[in-house]
Amino acid sequence: MATTMRNLRRLAATGRAAASFSTSTIVRRHSILPRALYTASSYAPQPHRFSSHDRITGGRSCVGCNLSFSTAAATELPPQSDKNYVPNDVVLYQYQACPFCNKVKAFLEYYDIPYKIVEVNPMNKKEIKWSDYRKVPILMVDGEQMVNSSDIIDKMHQRMHPDSVSEDAETQKWRRWVDDHLVHVLSPNIYRSPSEALESFDYITTKGNFSFTERLVAKYGGAAAMYFVSKKLKKRHNITDERKALYEAAETWVNALNGRHLGGSEPNLADLSVFGVLRPIRELKSGKDMVENTRIGEWFTRMESQMKPHRDTALQSS
Ligand SMILES: N[C@@H](CCC(=O)N[C@@H](CS)C(=O)NCC(=O)O)C(=O)O
């Protein structure tokens, strides 16, 4: 019995890996493994480190919901404001398939900031035991912990461009759209059918930090669990036809573009956010379908070509 419970807990943690794609509280509330999936209550907040974004985006991410903040991270005065801001030591704690982590990665790679990756094991999260924050991404920048993908990007961007005028309303709108809408369309799509759920978990467990046994349990158990959870997610986000919703989101985005990018000739932070969250699904069936059935492919390929190859700080210093 104890073993079964242990396995179930592990499996639940896999849901968190799937968290890679499923960020809604519904995963925790309605999962077949609700208790184990519900981790928010264990979070002891660090208000000055955390930011306003979770609250703004309407409670999707419970961890930050009940924290009260009134200023956006971007308006905080950064400790190091420098025109030539080049951080020395950047470490990203991530799940490889996590859309929020990929959003941060798109930013770092576009701006050619070297960083080291620590792949977190979603089962035990031992790599982030040192932190009170129980989600990824966590970005450590010269010893400072940054959390919440949008806030991380805001902070880093402001440090790199201290004199830039504040972000225009259009860019803000689309960045919020990514967090409030686009990410919620992903899970119902990648876990749409048993075979797609299996494909996704094959990707998640192959790329992620799992032991051999964890990988097996996670792959099959996680796929089965997330197949059912994704149906709840659909309801929760009022999605009737998940593919239609994905195609509509892609078309909506393409219609908003200002020529080559939303940012015009160069990508802006909204381009990087959309690209980041879509990147992990690109090679899955849902991503391929999206590219085949919408006009997003051209923009996506353009964005890919704008990314600089990842430079690993660990490798650089050795
Ligand atoms: N609002 C956060 C959401 C981060 C998030 O939900 N991350 C997921 C992985 S994609 C997570 O760590 N879930 C908790 C878990 O795995 O236990 C952000 O934008 O960074």
Side-chain angles (χ1 to χ4, degrees):
M1 184 64 185
T3 317
T4 313
M5 280 312 294
R6 220 171 20 247
N7 283 336
L8 283 179
R9 268 194 212 105
R10 286 192 178 145
L11 188 54
T14 308
R16 284 184 228 124
S20 310
F21 294 98
S22 52
T23 54
S24 167
T25 51
I26 199 163
V27 176
R28 300 186 183 95
R29 290 194 192 126
H30 300 280
S31 161
I32 52 171
L33 306 159
R35 206 176 75 78
L37 276 175
Y38 189 80
T39 54
S41 58
S42 63
Y43 173 55
Q46 295 176 297
H48 64 289
R49 289 284 191 218
F50 204 75
S51 73
S52 57
H53 193 75
D54 276 310
R55 192 170 58 80
I56 290 169
T57 55
R60 167 180 44 77
S61 171
C62 285
V63 175
C65 299
N66 44 15
L67 300 177
S68 54
F69 283 85
S70 53
T71 51
T75 62
E76 243 173 57
L77 195 63
Q80 315 151 50
S81 238
D82 186 335
K83 274 189 187 138
N84 304 311
Y85 176 63
V86 183
N88 286 319
D89 185 29
V90 180
V91 184
L92 177 67
Y93 293 83
Q94 67 151 25
Y95 301 151
Q96 172 72 23
C98 158
F100 302 104
C101 304
N102 276 278
K103 208 206 282 182
V104 173
K105 280 160 73 163
F107 174 86
L108 295 172
E109 282 167 31
Y110 178 68
Y111 284 107
D112 203 15
I113 300 173
Y115 65 101
K116 184 174 180 301
I117 292 176
V118 176
E119 187 68 26
V120 175
N121 179 318
M123 307 282 198
N124 53 33
K125 299 194 194 167
K126 67 175 188 312
E127 296 78 7
I128 54 168
K129 280 254 157 67
W130 52 269
S131 175
D132 285 335
Y133 186 67
R134 304 311 297 150
K135 294 186 174 191
V136 292
I138 297 176
L139 193 70
M140 287 301 290
V141 181
D142 294 329
E144 181 191 352
Q145 172 182 261
M146 296 184 187
V147 299
N148 196 319
S149 55
S150 292
D151 293 336
I152 293 171
I153 291 170
D154 282 341
K155 281 189 180 170
M156 293 298 285
H157 190 256
Q158 202 205 6
R159 286 178 194 189
M160 292 162 62
H161 306 97
D163 297 332
S164 68
V165 284
S166 57
E167 192 169 72
D168 62 278
E170 181 75 354
T171 309
Q172 281 176 7
K173 181 185 95 179
W174 286 105
R175 287 180 69 196
R176 261 199 303 272
W177 175 79
V178 171
D179 290 346
D180 295 348
H181 178 71
L182 186 58
V183 291
H184 299 305
V185 174
L186 302 181
S187 298
N189 274 283
I190 66 164
Y191 306 122
R192 181 171 75 138
S193 61
S195 65
E196 286 194 59
L198 207 55
E199 182 199 32
S200 300
F201 265 88
D202 185 48
Y203 172 76
I204 289 168
T205 52
T206 306
K207 303 272 182 187
N209 177 358
F210 293 89
S211 70
F212 179 74
T213 336
E214 284 171 349
R215 186 161 289 139
L216 280 182
V217 177
K219 183 173 167 185
Y220 295 99
M226 286 312 296
Y227 168 71
F228 292 108
V229 170
S230 73
K231 306 300 165 211
K232 301 273 186 190
L233 288 169
K234 255 176 86 169
K235 269 203 196 125
R236 166 85 159 82
H237 297 292
N238 296 320
I239 298 169
T240 38
D241 179 334
E242 57 279 328
R243 275 298 198 271
K244 194 162 162 251
L246 181 63
Y247 298 164
E248 271 171 13
E251 285 296 326
T252 303
W253 174 246
V254 174
N255 287 335
L257 297 180
N258 244 330
R260 293 170 63 77
H261 304 283
L262 189 85
S265 56
E266 294 299 321
N268 67 12
L269 296 185
D271 288 288
L272 293 171
S273 294
V274 176
F275 176 71
V277 303
L278 291 180
R279 210 181 195 182
I281 77 159
R282 175 63 186 93
E283 293 312 317
L284 300 176
K285 178 161 178 11
S286 46
K288 289 178 185 155
D289 284 355
M290 175 183 74
V291 166
E292 270 168 32
N293 292 285
T294 72
R295 296 167 295 148
I296 203 168
E298 221 178 288
W299 167 84
F300 193 93
T301 309
R302 257 199 310 273
M303 287 298 294
E304 275 179 321
S305 69
Q306 299 267 4
M307 296 298 127
K308 321 285 182 303
H310 169 214
R311 287 195 289 139
D312 189 329
T313 39
L315 295 178
Q316 279 197 335
S317 57
S318 62

PDB file of all heavy atoms in Angstrom, residues 154-177:
ATOM      1  N   ASP A 154      10.850  40.821 -17.643  1.00  0.00           N
ATOM      2  CA  ASP A 154      10.760  42.263 -17.371  1.00  0.00           C
ATOM      3  C   ASP A 154      12.008  42.784 -16.665  1.00  0.00           C
ATOM      4  O   ASP A 154      12.577  43.799 -17.040  1.00  0.00           O
ATOM      5  CB  ASP A 154       9.549  42.566 -16.473  1.00  0.00           C
ATOM      6  CG  ASP A 154       8.243  42.546 -17.244  1.00  0.00           C
ATOM      7  OD1 ASP A 154       8.286  42.668 -18.478  1.00  0.00           O
ATOM      8  OD2 ASP A 154       7.182  42.412 -16.606  1.00  0.00           O
ATOM      9  N   LYS A 155      12.410  42.069 -15.648  1.00  0.00           N
ATOM     10  CA  LYS A 155      13.563  42.518 -14.859  1.00  0.00           C
ATOM     11  C   LYS A 155      14.825  42.523 -15.696  1.00  0.00           C
ATOM     12  O   LYS A 155      15.589  43.485 -15.697  1.00  0.00           O
ATOM     13  CB  LYS A 155      13.777  41.595 -13.658  1.00  0.00           C
ATOM     14  CG  LYS A 155      12.841  41.871 -12.525  1.00  0.00           C
ATOM     15  CD  LYS A 155      13.252  41.087 -11.298  1.00  0.00           C
ATOM     16  CE  LYS A 155      12.286  41.372 -10.170  1.00  0.00           C
ATOM     17  NZ  LYS A 155      12.458  40.503  -9.025  1.00  0.00           N
ATOM     18  N   MET A 156      15.044  41.431 -16.397  1.00  0.00           N
ATOM     19  CA  MET A 156      16.262  41.336 -17.207  1.00  0.00           C
ATOM     20  C   MET A 156      16.262  42.401 -18.297  1.00  0.00           C
ATOM     21  O   MET A 156      17.266  43.047 -18.559  1.00  0.00           O
ATOM     22  CB  MET A 156      16.368  39.939 -17.845  1.00  0.00           C
ATOM     23  CG  MET A 156      16.596  38.830 -16.857  1.00  0.00           C
ATOM     24  SD  MET A 156      18.156  39.001 -15.960  1.00  0.00           S
ATOM     25  CE  MET A 156      19.345  38.507 -17.211  1.00  0.00           C
ATOM     26  N   HIS A 157      15.099  42.576 -18.904  1.00  0.00           N
ATOM     27  CA  HIS A 157      15.006  43.544 -19.998  1.00  0.00           C
ATOM     28  C   HIS A 157      15.273  44.951 -19.489  1.00  0.00           C
ATOM     29  O   HIS A 157      15.976  45.738 -20.122  1.00  0.00           O
ATOM     30  CB  HIS A 157      13.626  43.452 -20.650  1.00  0.00           C
ATOM     31  CG  HIS A 157      13.527  44.226 -21.930  1.00  0.00           C
ATOM     32  ND1 HIS A 157      12.878  45.431 -22.019  1.00  0.00           N
ATOM     33  CD2 HIS A 157      14.032  43.977 -23.158  1.00  0.00           C
ATOM     34  CE1 HIS A 157      12.972  45.886 -23.260  1.00  0.00           C
ATOM     35  NE2 HIS A 157      13.666  45.024 -23.968  1.00  0.00           N
ATOM     36  N   GLN A 158      14.724  45.238 -18.335  1.00  0.00           N
ATOM     37  CA  GLN A 158      14.921  46.589 -17.803  1.00  0.00           C
ATOM     38  C   GLN A 158      16.382  46.843 -17.449  1.00  0.00           C
ATOM     39  O   GLN A 158      16.902  47.935 -17.627  1.00  0.00           O
ATOM     40  CB  GLN A 158      14.040  46.820 -16.585  1.00  0.00           C
ATOM     41  CG  GLN A 158      13.819  48.304 -16.377  1.00  0.00           C
ATOM     42  CD  GLN A 158      13.511  48.649 -14.930  1.00  0.00           C
ATOM     43  OE1 GLN A 158      13.567  47.791 -14.050  1.00  0.00           O
ATOM     44  NE2 GLN A 158      13.203  49.896 -14.699  1.00  0.00           N
ATOM     45  N   ARG A 159      17.029  45.816 -16.953  1.00  0.00           N
ATOM     46  CA  ARG A 159      18.445  45.994 -16.619  1.00  0.00           C
ATOM     47  C   ARG A 159      19.296  46.180 -17.865  1.00  0.00           C
ATOM     48  O   ARG A 159      20.262  46.926 -17.876  1.00  0.00           O
ATOM     49  CB  ARG A 159      18.969  44.790 -15.853  1.00  0.00           C
ATOM     50  CG  ARG A 159      18.449  44.824 -14.456  1.00  0.00           C
ATOM     51  CD  ARG A 159      18.866  43.655 -13.652  1.00  0.00           C
ATOM     52  NE  ARG A 159      18.043  43.622 -12.464  1.00  0.00           N
ATOM     53  CZ  ARG A 159      18.248  42.825 -11.447  1.00  0.00           C
ATOM     54  NH1 ARG A 159      19.245  41.986 -11.473  1.00  0.00           N
ATOM     55  NH2 ARG A 159      17.448  42.863 -10.415  1.00  0.00           N
ATOM     56  N   MET A 160      18.878  45.502 -18.907  1.00  0.00           N
ATOM     57  CA  MET A 160      19.660  45.618 -20.145  1.00  0.00           C
ATOM     58  C   MET A 160      19.368  46.918 -20.871  1.00  0.00           C
ATOM     59  O   MET A 160      20.190  47.418 -21.625  1.00  0.00           O
ATOM     60  CB  MET A 160      19.340  44.425 -21.053  1.00  0.00           C
ATOM     61  CG  MET A 160      19.860  43.129 -20.491  1.00  0.00           C
ATOM     62  SD  MET A 160      19.056  41.733 -21.258  1.00  0.00           S
ATOM     63  CE  MET A 160      19.551  41.937 -22.944  1.00  0.00           C
ATOM     64  N   HIS A 161      18.148  47.417 -20.678  1.00  0.00           N
ATOM     65  CA  HIS A 161      17.751  48.659 -21.366  1.00  0.00           C
ATOM     66  C   HIS A 161      17.180  49.633 -20.357  1.00  0.00           C
ATOM     67  O   HIS A 161      15.991  49.952 -20.401  1.00  0.00           O
ATOM     68  CB  HIS A 161      16.700  48.358 -22.439  1.00  0.00           C
ATOM     69  CG  HIS A 161      17.124  47.319 -23.408  1.00  0.00           C
ATOM     70  ND1 HIS A 161      16.762  45.999 -23.297  1.00  0.00           N
ATOM     71  CD2 HIS A 161      17.907  47.402 -24.511  1.00  0.00           C
ATOM     72  CE1 HIS A 161      17.302  45.311 -24.286  1.00  0.00           C
ATOM     73  NE2 HIS A 161      17.999  46.135 -25.041  1.00  0.00           N
ATOM     74  N   PRO A 162      18.009  50.120 -19.448  1.00  0.00           N
ATOM     75  CA  PRO A 162      17.477  50.962 -18.370  1.00  0.00           C
ATOM     76  C   PRO A 162      16.835  52.245 -18.870  1.00  0.00           C
ATOM     77  O   PRO A 162      15.975  52.808 -18.197  1.00  0.00           O
ATOM     78  CB  PRO A 162      18.706  51.261 -17.505  1.00  0.00           C
ATOM     79  CG  PRO A 162      19.882  50.902 -18.324  1.00  0.00           C
ATOM     80  CD  PRO A 162      19.465  49.921 -19.345  1.00  0.00           C
ATOM     81  N   ASP A 163      17.248  52.696 -20.042  1.00  0.00           N
ATOM     82  CA  ASP A 163      16.707  53.966 -20.539  1.00  0.00           C
ATOM     83  C   ASP A 163      15.503  53.792 -21.443  1.00  0.00           C
ATOM     84  O   ASP A 163      14.933  54.773 -21.921  1.00  0.00           O
ATOM     85  CB  ASP A 163      17.786  54.731 -21.319  1.00  0.00           C
ATOM     86  CG  ASP A 163      18.949  55.083 -20.413  1.00  0.00           C
ATOM     87  OD1 ASP A 163      18.698  55.222 -19.193  1.00  0.00           O
ATOM     88  OD2 ASP A 163      20.079  55.190 -20.922  1.00  0.00           O
ATOM     89  N   SER A 164      15.126  52.560 -21.721  1.00  0.00           N
ATOM     90  CA  SER A 164      14.050  52.377 -22.695  1.00  0.00           C
ATOM     91  C   SER A 164      12.721  52.841 -22.101  1.00  0.00           C
ATOM     92  O   SER A 164      12.481  52.722 -20.900  1.00  0.00           O
ATOM     93  CB  SER A 164      13.962  50.921 -23.135  1.00  0.00           C
ATOM     94  OG  SER A 164      13.532  50.149 -22.067  1.00  0.00           O
ATOM     95  N   VAL A 165      11.892  53.364 -22.982  1.00  0.00           N
ATOM     96  CA  VAL A 165      10.571  53.804 -22.531  1.00  0.00           C
ATOM     97  C   VAL A 165       9.764  52.567 -22.156  1.00  0.00           C
ATOM     98  O   VAL A 165      10.034  51.478 -22.642  1.00  0.00           O
ATOM     99  CB  VAL A 165       9.824  54.594 -23.641  1.00  0.00           C
ATOM    100  CG1 VAL A 165      10.379  55.988 -23.774  1.00  0.00           C
ATOM    101  CG2 VAL A 165       9.832  53.837 -24.936  1.00  0.00           C
ATOM    102  N   SER A 166       8.761  52.746 -21.307  1.00  0.00           N
ATOM    103  CA  SER A 166       8.060  51.550 -20.852  1.00  0.00           C
ATOM    104  C   SER A 166       7.316  50.887 -22.010  1.00  0.00           C
ATOM    105  O   SER A 166       6.958  51.511 -22.998  1.00  0.00           O
ATOM    106  CB  SER A 166       7.108  51.895 -19.710  1.00  0.00           C
ATOM    107  OG  SER A 166       6.232  52.890 -20.152  1.00  0.00           O
ATOM    108  N   GLU A 167       7.089  49.631 -21.825  1.00  0.00           N
ATOM    109  CA  GLU A 167       6.507  48.788 -22.873  1.00  0.00           C
ATOM    110  C   GLU A 167       5.159  49.327 -23.355  1.00  0.00           C
ATOM    111  O   GLU A 167       4.337  49.740 -22.536  1.00  0.00           O
ATOM    112  CB  GLU A 167       6.326  47.409 -22.267  1.00  0.00           C
ATOM    113  CG  GLU A 167       6.010  46.331 -23.241  1.00  0.00           C
ATOM    114  CD  GLU A 167       6.130  44.979 -22.533  1.00  0.00           C
ATOM    115  OE1 GLU A 167       5.267  44.664 -21.704  1.00  0.00           O
ATOM    116  OE2 GLU A 167       7.090  44.267 -22.812  1.00  0.00           O
ATOM    117  N   ASP A 168       4.944  49.298 -24.658  1.00  0.00           N
ATOM    118  CA  ASP A 168       3.677  49.823 -25.170  1.00  0.00           C
ATOM    119  C   ASP A 168       2.516  48.880 -24.853  1.00  0.00           C
ATOM    120  O   ASP A 168       2.714  47.688 -24.587  1.00  0.00           O
ATOM    121  CB  ASP A 168       3.784  50.059 -26.687  1.00  0.00           C
ATOM    122  CG  ASP A 168       4.051  48.767 -27.416  1.00  0.00           C
ATOM    123  OD1 ASP A 168       5.232  48.342 -27.481  1.00  0.00           O
ATOM    124  OD2 ASP A 168       3.106  48.157 -27.897  1.00  0.00           O
ATOM    125  N   ALA A 169       1.324  49.446 -24.884  1.00  0.00           N
ATOM    126  CA  ALA A 169       0.126  48.708 -24.458  1.00  0.00           C
ATOM    127  C   ALA A 169      -0.107  47.464 -25.324  1.00  0.00           C
ATOM    128  O   ALA A 169      -0.561  46.425 -24.832  1.00  0.00           O
ATOM    129  CB  ALA A 169      -1.084  49.633 -24.527  1.00  0.00           C
ATOM    130  N   GLU A 170       0.211  47.595 -26.593  1.00  0.00           N
ATOM    131  CA  GLU A 170       0.001  46.481 -27.508  1.00  0.00           C
ATOM    132  C   GLU A 170       0.865  45.274 -27.110  1.00  0.00           C
ATOM    133  O   GLU A 170       0.395  44.138 -27.046  1.00  0.00           O
ATOM    134  CB  GLU A 170       0.369  46.963 -28.931  1.00  0.00           C
ATOM    135  CG  GLU A 170       0.210  45.956 -30.042  1.00  0.00           C
ATOM    136  CD  GLU A 170      -1.243  45.720 -30.431  1.00  0.00           C
ATOM    137  OE1 GLU A 170      -2.149  46.259 -29.751  1.00  0.00           O
ATOM    138  OE2 GLU A 170      -1.467  44.983 -31.406  1.00  0.00           O
ATOM    139  N   THR A 171       2.115  45.538 -26.828  1.00  0.00           N
ATOM    140  CA  THR A 171       3.021  44.447 -26.430  1.00  0.00           C
ATOM    141  C   THR A 171       2.565  43.832 -25.118  1.00  0.00           C
ATOM    142  O   THR A 171       2.527  42.607 -24.963  1.00  0.00           O
ATOM    143  CB  THR A 171       4.470  44.977 -26.295  1.00  0.00           C
ATOM    144  OG1 THR A 171       4.796  45.676 -27.487  1.00  0.00           O
ATOM    145  CG2 THR A 171       5.465  43.864 -26.063  1.00  0.00           C
ATOM    146  N   GLN A 172       2.179  44.694 -24.186  1.00  0.00           N
ATOM    147  CA  GLN A 172       1.697  44.188 -22.894  1.00  0.00           C
ATOM    148  C   GLN A 172       0.486  43.295 -23.090  1.00  0.00           C
ATOM    149  O   GLN A 172       0.366  42.236 -22.486  1.00  0.00           O
ATOM    150  CB  GLN A 172       1.296  45.346 -21.988  1.00  0.00           C
ATOM    151  CG  GLN A 172       2.462  46.032 -21.336  1.00  0.00           C
ATOM    152  CD  GLN A 172       2.031  47.248 -20.526  1.00  0.00           C
ATOM    153  OE1 GLN A 172       0.839  47.499 -20.349  1.00  0.00           O
ATOM    154  NE2 GLN A 172       2.996  48.015 -20.064  1.00  0.00           N
ATOM    155  N   LYS A 173      -0.410  43.770 -23.961  1.00  0.00           N
ATOM    156  CA  LYS A 173      -1.649  43.019 -24.205  1.00  0.00           C
ATOM    157  C   LYS A 173      -1.326  41.607 -24.717  1.00  0.00           C
ATOM    158  O   LYS A 173      -1.881  40.620 -24.240  1.00  0.00           O
ATOM    159  CB  LYS A 173      -2.506  43.762 -25.238  1.00  0.00           C
ATOM    160  CG  LYS A 173      -3.812  43.070 -25.546  1.00  0.00           C
ATOM    161  CD  LYS A 173      -4.584  43.756 -26.652  1.00  0.00           C
ATOM    162  CE  LYS A 173      -4.287  43.090 -27.989  1.00  0.00           C
ATOM    163  NZ  LYS A 173      -5.016  43.669 -29.112  1.00  0.00           N
ATOM    164  N   TRP A 174      -0.412  41.551 -25.660  1.00  0.00           N
ATOM    165  CA  TRP A 174      -0.108  40.244 -26.239  1.00  0.00           C
ATOM    166  C   TRP A 174       0.676  39.367 -25.277  1.00  0.00           C
ATOM    167  O   TRP A 174       0.527  38.151 -25.277  1.00  0.00           O
ATOM    168  CB  TRP A 174       0.617  40.392 -27.584  1.00  0.00           C
ATOM    169  CG  TRP A 174      -0.364  40.820 -28.616  1.00  0.00           C
ATOM    170  CD1 TRP A 174      -0.491  42.066 -29.145  1.00  0.00           C
ATOM    171  CD2 TRP A 174      -1.406  40.021 -29.192  1.00  0.00           C
ATOM    172  NE1 TRP A 174      -1.549  42.103 -30.020  1.00  0.00           N
ATOM    173  CE2 TRP A 174      -2.123  40.865 -30.077  1.00  0.00           C
ATOM    174  CE3 TRP A 174      -1.800  38.694 -29.045  1.00  0.00           C
ATOM    175  CZ2 TRP A 174      -3.217  40.400 -30.805  1.00  0.00           C
ATOM    176  CZ3 TRP A 174      -2.887  38.231 -29.786  1.00  0.00           C
ATOM    177  CH2 TRP A 174      -3.582  39.090 -30.648  1.00  0.00           C
ATOM    178  N   ARG A 175       1.473  39.940 -24.445  1.00  0.00           N
ATOM    179  CA  ARG A 175       2.183  39.125 -23.453  1.00  0.00           C
ATOM    180  C   ARG A 175       1.195  38.549 -22.443  1.00  0.00           C
ATOM    181  O   ARG A 175       1.333  37.415 -21.993  1.00  0.00           O
ATOM    182  CB  ARG A 175       3.259  39.964 -22.752  1.00  0.00           C
ATOM    183  CG  ARG A 175       4.446  40.229 -23.665  1.00  0.00           C
ATOM    184  CD  ARG A 175       5.491  41.042 -22.952  1.00  0.00           C
ATOM    185  NE  ARG A 175       6.144  40.284 -21.890  1.00  0.00           N
ATOM    186  CZ  ARG A 175       6.870  40.849 -20.935  1.00  0.00           C
ATOM    187  NH1 ARG A 175       7.026  42.164 -20.895  1.00  0.00           N
ATOM    188  NH2 ARG A 175       7.433  40.108 -20.010  1.00  0.00           N
ATOM    189  N   ARG A 176       0.192  39.340 -22.115  1.00  0.00           N
ATOM    190  CA  ARG A 176      -0.842  38.822 -21.196  1.00  0.00           C
ATOM    191  C   ARG A 176      -1.665  37.728 -21.872  1.00  0.00           C
ATOM    192  O   ARG A 176      -2.054  36.751 -21.259  1.00  0.00           O
ATOM    193  CB  ARG A 176      -1.762  39.953 -20.729  1.00  0.00           C
ATOM    194  CG  ARG A 176      -1.370  40.464 -19.358  1.00  0.00           C
ATOM    195  CD  ARG A 176      -2.500  41.226 -18.710  1.00  0.00           C
ATOM    196  NE  ARG A 176      -2.940  42.330 -19.534  1.00  0.00           N
ATOM    197  CZ  ARG A 176      -2.416  43.550 -19.485  1.00  0.00           C
ATOM    198  NH1 ARG A 176      -1.433  43.813 -18.647  1.00  0.00           N
ATOM    199  NH2 ARG A 176      -2.866  44.516 -20.254  1.00  0.00           N
ATOM    200  N   TRP A 177      -1.897  37.928 -23.153  1.00  0.00           N
ATOM    201  CA  TRP A 177      -2.647  36.924 -23.933  1.00  0.00           C
ATOM    202  C   TRP A 177      -1.915  35.581 -23.888  1.00  0.00           C
ATOM    203  O   TRP A 177      -2.540  34.525 -23.783  1.00  0.00           O
ATOM    204  CB  TRP A 177      -2.788  37.450 -25.369  1.00  0.00           C
ATOM    205  CG  TRP A 177      -3.427  36.511 -26.343  1.00  0.00           C
ATOM    206  CD1 TRP A 177      -4.758  36.258 -26.486  1.00  0.00           C
ATOM    207  CD2 TRP A 177      -2.759  35.711 -27.334  1.00  0.00           C
ATOM    208  NE1 TRP A 177      -4.965  35.354 -27.505  1.00  0.00           N
ATOM    209  CE2 TRP A 177      -3.762  35.007 -28.047  1.00  0.00           C
ATOM    210  CE3 TRP A 177      -1.427  35.524 -27.717  1.00  0.00           C
ATOM    211  CZ2 TRP A 177      -3.464  34.131 -29.098  1.00  0.00           C
ATOM    212  CZ3 TRP A 177      -1.128  34.656 -28.755  1.00  0.00           C
ATOM    213  CH2 TRP A 177      -2.136  33.974 -29.426  1.00  0.00           C
TER     214      TRP A 177
END
